[in-house]
Amino acid sequence: MIAARITATGAYVPERKVTNDDLARVMDTSDEWIRSRTGIGSRHVAVGESTSHMAVKAAADVLSRSGCRAEDIQFIIVATGTPDHLFPNMACLVQEGIGASHAFCFDLNAACSGFLYSLSVAKGYIESGMYERGMVIGAETISKVVDWKERSTCVLFGDGAGAVIIEKGGRGIGSMVMGADGKGGEVLRCSSSSILCHDEESRRKIDYLHMDGQEVFRFAARQVPAVIEAVLEKEGLEPDQIGHYILHQANERIIASVARKMKEPMEKFPVNLDRYGNTSSASIPILLHELHQTGALKNGEKLILAGFGAGLTWGAAMVEWNI
Ligand code: UT7
């Protein structure tokens, strides 16, 4: 059988860093509250930059670190819930931005699970023999859809983009399990899109992101271990055979709860949300990129990637690291 493998990683975050103390100066919150409830210390916020801009930067970054030329890329999938506009899609803007003239391009919205859903599509294209090489990007400007006067949500999120190249050959992306529960749609929703947020006047009218934080917390603490166990079962692996668990970066307490349920040490669950907050579909590829850059991932090591988010949606993958 043809296998699909991640062969390069890249990322981009906007320059503007906003610390918890910066937020505490303009709203009724504190570094202590945000850190103790979430683990977040700061986040990057796009100023004058759009989702497509960041997606192009992450795409250029991954390309420069790969052995591929832009024209070798056969498809581009951008996972995003915060596109700049309805069409053209973000992936077409990436194609234009990096000169990937032979790629077909589309966006995929599965909120914070978008990167894993997109990875599963890319894996399917490659394993079926239809295509040999593609790019998957998670890119978000959540800062445009949160109400900056609503402390219970705005402190949680950040902007950024992460990208991977997926190619045919070698051991790589193993079993994946995805799921959704549309009945839970109300607990995390945003009826207006970032498209409507161009200026102050339109921002006043938009329906910002709403979240029942405790309900999402309970859902994640239950569903993430379940989907990871489903992947491990498919692979015939025990939790201790996994080198690192790379989870969607929403809340350090959720990550710790998953670690406890899996009876695995927290050291196997890398965290970077202290510096980026929750970047939704970008969180897993940004973290993967950082871990790869620092040499934390060893070739041949087995990883679990797992995400969850609005929809409700969730997904997990076993990836054998082999770059
Ligand atoms: O990508 C997927 C997305 N989302 C998630 O994964 C989120 C999952 N949920 C969570 O991470 C947590 O539920 C939150 C971090 C969102 C909230 O933590 P919590 O421990 O569930 O707090 P809470 O909502 O129960 O609020 C506790 C208190 C409330 O005050 P009272 O009613 O007890 O007086 C809030 O008003 O904390 C207050 N509060 C704040 N205080 C200071 C809420 N936000 C803030 C804030 N600063 N930013």
Side-chain angles (χ1 to χ4, degrees), residues 18-37:
V18 177
T19 65
N20 294 343
D21 286 333
D22 293 334
L23 293 176
R25 277 190 279 277
V26 292
M27 67 183 74
D28 183 16
T29 190
S30 64
D31 180 57
E32 199 282 326
W33 191 97
I34 302 171
R35 268 184 208 277
S36 62
R37 301 275 173 147

Side-chain angles (χ1 to χ4, degrees), residues 71-146:
E71 52 271 40
D72 298 334
I73 303 294
Q74 294 172 308
F75 61 87
I76 300 172
I77 309 174
V78 175
T80 186
T82 52
D84 307 353
H85 38 245
L86 286 177
F87 46 82
N89 62 40
M90 300 300 95
C92 282
L93 300 184
V94 170
Q95 186 216 41
E96 168 64 10
I98 61 170
S101 49
H102 296 140
F104 68 95
C105 306
F106 63 97
D107 295 354
L108 187 154
N109 180 358
C112 303
S113 310
F115 179 76
L116 279 158
Y117 271 51
S118 302
L119 196 70
S120 74
V121 176
K123 169 180 155 74
Y125 279 141
I126 290 171
E127 288 182 354
S128 69
M130 276 176 81
Y131 297 99
E132 296 187 354
R133 188 174 301 102
M135 192 182 277
V136 173
I137 302 168
E140 306 279 5
T141 37
I142 306 283
S143 63
K144 285 193 188 167
V145 297
V146 290

